């Protein structure tokens, strides 16, 4: 049973819309991450957080933004979606010093 | 530039076969190497390796790390159709992971 939840699972939206992908975990993990994965490609880190009010950009440049107001919640926002944002977005979390990540089920985003 | 390279990119075998998946890496400040299995959803954790030469086993799966040659292998014996998935290798540096592109394994009955 998953302890990290992502919603929605699938989203199809029009260009220019603002969207927020939700990610919540109930494990009390201090570290949280957002990865982007295109079909058949590797996972790319786009954002991470080491705790409340801490956010950093990852290795892959992204037009999205994140916030970490509560330990358990790490939403990702796209102010104006474009077709190039079509991808799968995976949220993950871990304890400080523990390298075994727990992943959410992902959000598959399609921008038309 | 830090990178993780997996081979082969894809593999088709028959049930009962043994497969070996490879992962080589070039990262600064290596801390650990992890293997994940990804089916239709998110990756699920298989192994974490930090020391050379110590085999990790879980059922029909096993893995070992060579920190001198900078690679790891994942073995699956007596494969089953349920082993069909993408197998991801990832290496930690600092507090982040860098993932390889994965190996697509298909096990035919």
């Amino acid at each position: 049973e998953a302890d990290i939840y992502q919603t929605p699972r699938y989203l199809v939206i029009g260009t220019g819309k603002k969207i927020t992908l939700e990610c919540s975990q109930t494990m009390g993990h201090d570290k949280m991450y957002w990865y982007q994965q295109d079909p058949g490609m590797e996972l790319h880190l786009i954002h991470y957080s080491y705790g409340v009010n801490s956010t950093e950009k990852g290795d892959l440049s992204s037009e999205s933004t994140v916030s970490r107001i509560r330990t358990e919640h790490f939403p990702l926002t796209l102010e104006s979606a474009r077709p190039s944002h079509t991808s799968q977005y995976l949220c993950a979390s871990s304890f400080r010093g523990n390298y075994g990540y727990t992943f959410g089920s992902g959000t598959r985003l399609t921008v038309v | 530039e830090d990178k993780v390279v997996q081979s082969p990119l894809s593999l088709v075998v028959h049930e009962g076969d043994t497969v070996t998946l490879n992962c080589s890496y070039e990262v600064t400040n290596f801390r650990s190497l992890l293997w994940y299995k990804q089916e239709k959803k998110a990756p699920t954790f298989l192994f974490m390796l930090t020391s050379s030469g110590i085999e990790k086993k879980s059922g029909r799966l096993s893995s070992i790390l060579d920190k001198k040659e900078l690679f790891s292998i994942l073995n699956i014996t007596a494969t089953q159709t349920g082993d069909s998935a993408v197998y991801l290798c990832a290496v930690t540096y600092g507090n982040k992971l860098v993932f390889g592109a994965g190996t697509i394994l298909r096990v035919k009955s």
Side-chain angles (χ1 to χ4, degrees):
Chain A
E1 185 176 342
D3 294 311
I4 182 164
Y5 305 95
Q6 288 186 245
T7 57
R9 291 285 304 280
Y10 302 94
L11 179 62
V12 181
I13 61 166
T15 297
K17 299 290 186 183
K18 177 181 178 179
I19 58 167
T20 296
L21 308 185
E22 301 289 347
C23 176
S24 295
Q25 50 94 6
T26 58
M27 298 170 284
H29 286 173
D30 48 0
K31 296 188 288 187
M32 296 188 74
Y33 311 81
W34 276 103
Y35 288 89
Q36 185 174 342
Q37 185 182 33
D38 294 324
M41 304 295 287
E42 59 263 49
L43 286 148
H44 290 288
L45 179 68
I46 52 174
H47 296 284
Y48 60 99
S49 167
Y50 290 161
V52 171
N53 295 324
S54 156
T55 61
E56 301 286 344
K57 287 191 178 292
D59 305 315
L60 181 68
S61 176
S62 174
E63 294 165 342
S64 57
T65 58
V66 292
S67 62
R68 190 90 182 274
I69 299 172
R70 303 197 314 266
T71 298
E72 62 271 21
H73 195 212
F74 191 41
L76 181 145
T77 299
L78 278 165
E79 291 293 332
S80 179
R82 296 205 301 271
S84 60
H85 296 139
T86 294
S87 188
Q88 176 167 245
Y89 293 84
L90 287 164
C91 181
S93 70
S94 68
F95 273 120
R96 190 179 300 275
N98 179 351
Y99 306 121
Y101 287 25
T102 301
F103 282 87
S105 296
T107 293
R108 189 167 294 282
L109 172 66
T110 303
V111 183
V112 297
Chain B
E1 180 183 344
D2 297 329
K3 62 179 180 181
V4 178
V5 179
Q6 292 186 245
S7 64
L9 291 179
S10 66
L11 192 57
V12 180
V13 300
H14 289 94
E15 273 191 312
D17 288 349
T18 294
V19 298
T20 298
L21 310 182
N22 303 291
C23 175
S24 63
Y25 61 90
E26 291 180 31
V27 299
T28 53
N29 302 316
F30 171 88
R31 301 186 79 166
S32 64
L33 185 144
L34 299 95
W35 284 97
Y36 290 86
K37 178 182 181 182
Q38 184 176 21
E39 296 171 271
K40 292 184 179 179
K41 301 176 183 178
T44 53
F45 176 78
L46 294 175
F47 297 111
M48 182 172 76
L49 303 158
T50 55
S51 301
S52 276
I54 298 175
E55 185 182 51
K56 293 277 185 95
K57 284 183 69 74
S58 176
R60 296 175 293 103
L61 277 66
S62 64
S63 184
I64 197 162
L65 172 68
D66 186 327
K67 291 170 72 174
K68 181 179 178 183
E69 300 297 330
L70 308 183
F71 78 92
S72 173
I73 59 172
L74 175 68
N75 279 320
I76 308 175
T77 59
T79 52
Q80 303 170 358
T81 55
D83 296 327
S84 296
V86 176
Y87 289 84
L88 292 166
C89 172
V91 173
T92 63
Y93 60 105
N95 284 308
K96 295 187 287 185
L97 290 180
V98 58
F99 283 87
T103 293
I104 302 169
L105 175 64
R106 182 180 164 211
V107 181
K108 299 169 69 174
S109 56

